[in-house]
Amino acid sequence: MASRRRPGAPADFEEIRPNLFLIHNPALGPVLRGEGEREGFHFRLTGWRRAGLLGRLASRGFVTLTIPDRIAALPAPPITTLGPARTITVGAKQQLSLLDLSARGGWQPIPTSDKGTVTLREGQIVRRRRGRGPAEYLRITAAGWEIVPADHAILIAYGQLTSRPFLKIATTPDGWILPDFPLPKEYRQVLGQIALPHTEGWLLSGELEREMATALLAKLGVTIG
């Protein structure tokens, strides 16, 4: 259940990990009684009545900020219309790649022609790497390209995918492993509240974590399973 939070209003009750909350307003203490475990300003919801608790808090005028609220506030990928094809010359020791979650690291290198060129469409987002240097992100234009800030470029690139990506998650005794993949910073920060870092990507330790991660990725047009 989404909380009734007014834009810009400070939260009385803030979810920092699934079912773990910070209490910013001690006055809501009586409503929490019997619903979980409290330690100082931290409250862990242990009962199954999550929606009911959030509803009672809202009905009493308390402002809550949950992880689903954060997901709802994330920007959706913009819909872009690609223009005509353009031939781009790729410099020496440079590599251009397109977002492709099925590829290693989430980016698929674009093969160059014998003349060292690639054909792309106006508006298309590509990642460019020079040797082993840091990546930068380009938008193809009629004149060649323009550099776009990384987080905005990645968000646009999700909107340009022609099919809905599917990420397969692996089952482990601790939950599920979601592979690592490119994300805008805002999305990565929220995913970091949901999941735990893992050597293979992200660990979703329970059904609630999996549900929240599914909702987050759905905003990018990505499904998991």
Side-chain angles (χ1 to χ4, degrees), residues 1-5 12-15 19-22 28 31-32 35 43 45 47-69 208 212:
M1 175 180 176
S3 64
R4 300 175 186 176
R5 180 173 180 260
D12 298 305
F13 196 51
E14 178 186 1
E15 190 170 24
N19 280 343
L20 178 63
F21 296 81
L22 273 178
L28 54 74
V31 188
L32 303 179
E35 298 289 350
F43 175 81
L45 177 63
W48 56 272
R49 298 178 296 181
R50 175 185 170 97
L53 173 62
L54 295 174
R56 288 197 303 279
L57 288 169
S59 69
R60 287 164 170 78
F62 293 113
V63 178
T64 62
L65 175 58
T66 66
I67 292 175
D69 290 331
L208 181 59
M212 289 181 175

Side-chain angles (χ1 to χ4, degrees), residues 121-221:
R121 295 177 64 185
E122 283 185 28
Q124 200 161 17
I125 294 292
V126 297
R127 186 187 73 165
R128 177 171 68 178
R129 297 199 70 168
R130 305 173 190 228
R132 296 184 178 181
E136 58 184 354
Y137 300 85
L138 314 176
R139 176 164 37 205
I140 304 305
T141 66
W145 62 75
E146 61 182 359
I147 296 177
V148 180
D151 294 321
H152 187 50
I154 295 171
L155 189 65
I156 296 172
Y158 273 99
Q160 294 179 351
L161 294 176
T162 56
S163 60
R164 190 177 180 91
F166 176 81
L167 284 176
K168 184 173 179 57
I169 57 177
T171 302
T172 75
D174 298 320
W176 299 273
I177 303 298
L178 179 67
D180 199 13
F181 56 98
L183 281 175
K185 183 179 178 180
E186 290 175 282
Y187 276 80
R188 185 168 289 272
Q189 287 174 336
V190 178
L191 182 58
Q193 290 186 281
I194 299 169
L196 297 172
H198 189 275
T199 54
E200 300 298 323
W202 300 92
L203 173 65
L204 305 172
S205 58
E207 289 288 352
L208 181 59
E209 286 80 359
R210 178 170 175 168
E211 178 184 320
M212 289 181 175
T214 298
L216 180 144
L217 295 179
K219 289 210 69 168
L220 294 173

Side-chain angles (χ1 to χ4, degrees), residues 27-144:
L28 54 74
V31 188
L32 303 179
R33 194 168 296 123
E35 298 289 350
E37 302 167 350
R38 181 170 177 175
E39 183 176 346
F41 293 104
H42 289 84
F43 175 81
R44 183 173 295 279
L45 177 63
T46 57
W48 56 272
R49 298 178 296 181
R50 175 185 170 97
L53 173 62
L54 295 174
R56 288 197 303 279
L57 288 169
S59 69
R60 287 164 170 78
F62 293 113
V63 178
T64 62
L65 175 58
T66 66
I67 292 175
D69 290 331
R70 296 188 188 277
I71 294 172
L74 290 170
I79 303 301
T80 58
T81 301
L82 300 182
R86 300 293 179 185
T87 299
I88 305 297
T89 299
V90 182
K93 297 184 179 180
Q94 294 186 17
Q95 184 180 76
L96 300 185
S97 303
L98 293 173
L99 182 68
D100 182 350
L101 300 194
S102 67
R104 183 178 177 85
W107 293 95
Q108 181 64 55
I110 307 170
T112 58
S113 69
D114 293 340
K115 298 180 180 179
T117 62
V118 298
T119 300
L120 296 163
R121 295 177 64 185
E122 283 185 28
Q124 200 161 17
I125 294 292
V126 297
R127 186 187 73 165
R128 177 171 68 178
R129 297 199 70 168
R130 305 173 190 228
R132 296 184 178 181
E136 58 184 354
Y137 300 85
L138 314 176
R139 176 164 37 205
I140 304 305
T141 66

